[in-house]
Amino acid sequence: MSGGRVETRLIPQNHGPSSVADATLRLRWSAPVTDTRGLPPMCVRADAQTVLCRTGALPADSRGRRIQVSARLAGAPSEVTVRIDTMWSSGTADHNPQNSTHKVLALDTGDVYYF
């Protein structure tokens, strides 16, 4: 994050045991998003703080394609929390739902965070 501009990159992963035909991820920031012109075609804005993205098919024990969301936050906050959750997984049972939610605090330092 830098100057209220956030760039979130993620690679969805399916740990199995079954393939997932498609899934929807929710990215929700703790501050309102004012500009989402950097959204990839598989993503849509859901509300003032939320973007939803399709992953496409995720075979068992594999990674999906990289998703990159660029946005501008209202008021250029000095820090923001982004929560990333699996919202829908085409009816596939998840045997470990604890790994379906991630929460990251990003400070306005321009640094890159990995998790």
Side-chain angles (χ1 to χ4, degrees):
M1 181 167 95
S2 180
R5 191 98 186 126
V6 292
E7 188 168 311
T8 305
R9 292 179 233 145
L10 59 101
I11 299 174
Q13 186 170 0
N14 178 5
H15 296 284
S18 302
S19 295
V20 175
D22 198 359
T24 302
L25 303 179
R26 175 177 59 186
L27 289 81
R28 183 169 177 84
W29 290 271
S30 58
V33 176
T34 60
D35 179 8
T36 55
R37 287 181 271 176
L39 288 181
M42 73 283 251
C43 297
V44 296
R45 183 146 180 198
D47 64 34
Q49 294 173 257
T50 309
V51 170
L52 302 174
C53 297
R54 288 184 59 206
T55 64
L58 295 169
D61 297 318
S62 71
R63 291 179 170 201
R65 66 178 179 255
R66 183 172 125 173
I67 298 171
Q68 182 170 326
V69 175
S70 298
R72 180 167 297 285
L73 302 174
S78 61
E79 66 181 43
V80 67
T81 302
V82 62
R83 180 181 168 139
I84 303 167
D85 333 71
T86 303
M87 290 298 300
W88 179 76
S89 59
S90 61
T92 305
D94 187 349
H95 298 290
N96 185 8
Q98 290 77 23
N99 69 3
S100 297
T101 300
H102 302 279
K103 192 172 182 181
V104 177
L105 172 66
L107 305 175
D108 187 7
T109 61
D111 293 330
V112 177
Y113 298 88
Y114 293 92
F115 68 94

